[in-house]
Structure formats: C-alpha cells, structure tokens
Amino acid sequence: MYEGAVQELIDELGRLPGVGPKSAQRIAFYILESDGEDTKRLVNAIVTVKERVKFCTICGNVAEQETCGICHDPRRDPSAICVVEESKDVIAVERTRSFRGKYHVLGGSINPIAGIGPEQLRIRELLSRLSDDQVQEIIIATDPNLEGEATATYLVRMLKTIGIKVTRLASGLPVGGDLEYADEITLGRAFEGRRTVS
C-alpha cells in the first residue's frame, strides 16, 4: 500500500476492466515516471472522449454526431442488420470486410447474476427499426458464451413472431486450433455447422 495520491491512482486504475492490482500499480508508476506532456495528453484524451463521444441514435454505436458513420453511409445495405453486444464488436465484424449491412448495438448481454435483463438492453430500439419493412435479415452476432447464448435465444424467440429471417453466426473450431483442446460445446457446434466440400 502506498500513501495518498499514488494509492488513489492505483485504486482508480484497478477499477478499469481487465486491469488487476499489479497492472494498476505498473500503469500508475509509468504515469509517475512519464513526461508531464505525455500525462497531459492522456488526461486531455480522456476528457475529450467523455465530452464529444455519444451513442448513435439509430444503432447505439459510438459516434461524435447524432448518427454514426455506418448508419449515415448510403452505400450500406439497409436490408440486413447485424446485432452485436458492444461497439467493439462492430469493429471486429468490420475488420472481416464480409458484411456491408447495418448494425444494432445492444449495450451488453442478458446476465441475471449482474442484474441485466432484456429491459436493460436496446431491444425495444431494435424492434422499432423493423417496422418499416426494409429489413429482410437479422444476423445475431452475440458472444459465444453463456450470456451471449441467452441473449441470442431471447432474440430468436422474439423475432420469430415478426416474420423476418433470423440467422446466427456460425461457431466452431478456430483456424490453427487442435481438436484435442476444443471443449465439447465448440466441437459440437463445429459438427452442427459443417458444410459440404467439393
């Protein structure tokens, strides 16, 4: 334990997701040893992002305007919406260059232990986007974990009644992985999603 300001900085850094006590201490001492200008740039970047960045009024992605660049882009296909949990998932899908539709960011996943139910997610906003008959397919791209599966199952049940095609991203074995290290669920999904080769 350190005294005063140093311990406060370590405590605050430790509250960040993915930053444990040792990492928080390392970052705190990096900041202490850094040039004053580097520290000011970091502080200014944090303040600026909090002041400028908001969430797109259409899809929920991060944006500096009312709508994000993807929703604003007329070249995007409005007939397909990819539903993701967080804004970082939009970037992951965009990196593949395989999807040219639009997105909907839920703002998390169903997690009863953390007190997050469907009401806390942007599901109502998704349903309101489906009222104009432009959307032909909803692609559910939630994480392949317990919370993501619960969210996907909830969305599938709800969207089936609307009559729009609902698909789920395939999951299975990663490229470069070994069968012996795959868990049962991943291996089972790989069998379910197998395709014919010619």
Side-chain angles (χ1 to χ4, degrees):
M1 291 291 177
Y2 298 92
E3 292 183 12
V6 174
Q7 189 58 48
E8 283 180 35
L9 178 60
I10 292 170
D11 291 344
E12 288 304 313
L13 290 168
R15 291 176 52 201
L16 296 171
V19 178
K22 293 222 187 259
S23 294
Q25 182 178 322
R26 241 185 332 274
I27 295 167
F29 277 96
Y30 173 80
I31 291 170
L32 280 171
E33 295 165 6
S34 292
D35 180 89
E37 288 303 311
D38 290 343
T39 306
K40 283 180 186 170
R41 277 196 304 277
L42 175 62
V43 169
N44 287 338
I46 293 171
V47 170
T48 301
V49 80
K50 287 304 287 178
E51 289 173 350
R52 285 192 201 164
V53 178
K54 45 191 154 238
F55 295 98
C56 176
T57 56
I58 298 171
C59 74
N61 194 11
V62 291
E64 289 193 28
Q65 310 297 321
E66 286 297 308
T67 57
C68 70
I70 294 172
C71 286
H72 197 69
D73 187 349
R75 297 170 297 178
R76 302 300 292 223
D77 178 8
S79 70
I81 294 178
C82 181
V83 179
V84 296
E85 292 178 24
E86 305 287 346
S87 292
K88 59 185 172 56
D89 301 327
V90 171
I91 301 302
V93 175
E94 282 294 288
R95 276 196 310 256
T96 68
R97 294 191 172 112
S98 300
F99 180 67
R100 295 299 304 154
K102 299 203 175 190
Y103 293 91
H104 189 83
V105 180
L106 293 171
S109 57
I110 295 173
N111 186 345
I113 294 170
I116 301 170
E119 315 78 43
Q120 282 76 40
L121 303 178
R122 298 184 71 254
I123 294 173
R124 266 177 272 120
E125 292 85 345
L126 173 63
L127 294 175
S128 71
R129 291 180 71 184
L130 306 179
S131 62
D132 65 0
D133 292 336
Q134 211 173 14
V135 179
Q136 303 297 311
E137 180 183 9
I138 297 288
I139 303 162
I140 300 174
T142 54
D143 291 340
N145 56 26
L146 200 59
E147 294 83 8
E149 291 298 322
T151 306
T153 302
Y154 180 86
L155 288 172
V156 167
R157 282 187 192 146
M158 184 186 311
L159 295 170
K160 271 186 181 177
T161 62
I162 296 175
I164 293 174
K165 179 180 176 184
V166 180
T167 59
R168 175 94 165 105
L169 287 186
S171 59
L173 299 170
V175 173
D178 293 325
L179 281 179
E180 66 180 303
Y181 299 118
D183 61 274
E184 295 83 11
I185 294 171
T186 302
L187 198 50
R189 289 267 169 79
F191 271 100
E192 288 170 13
R194 68 189 185 277
R195 55 196 164 119
T196 305
V197 292
S198 46

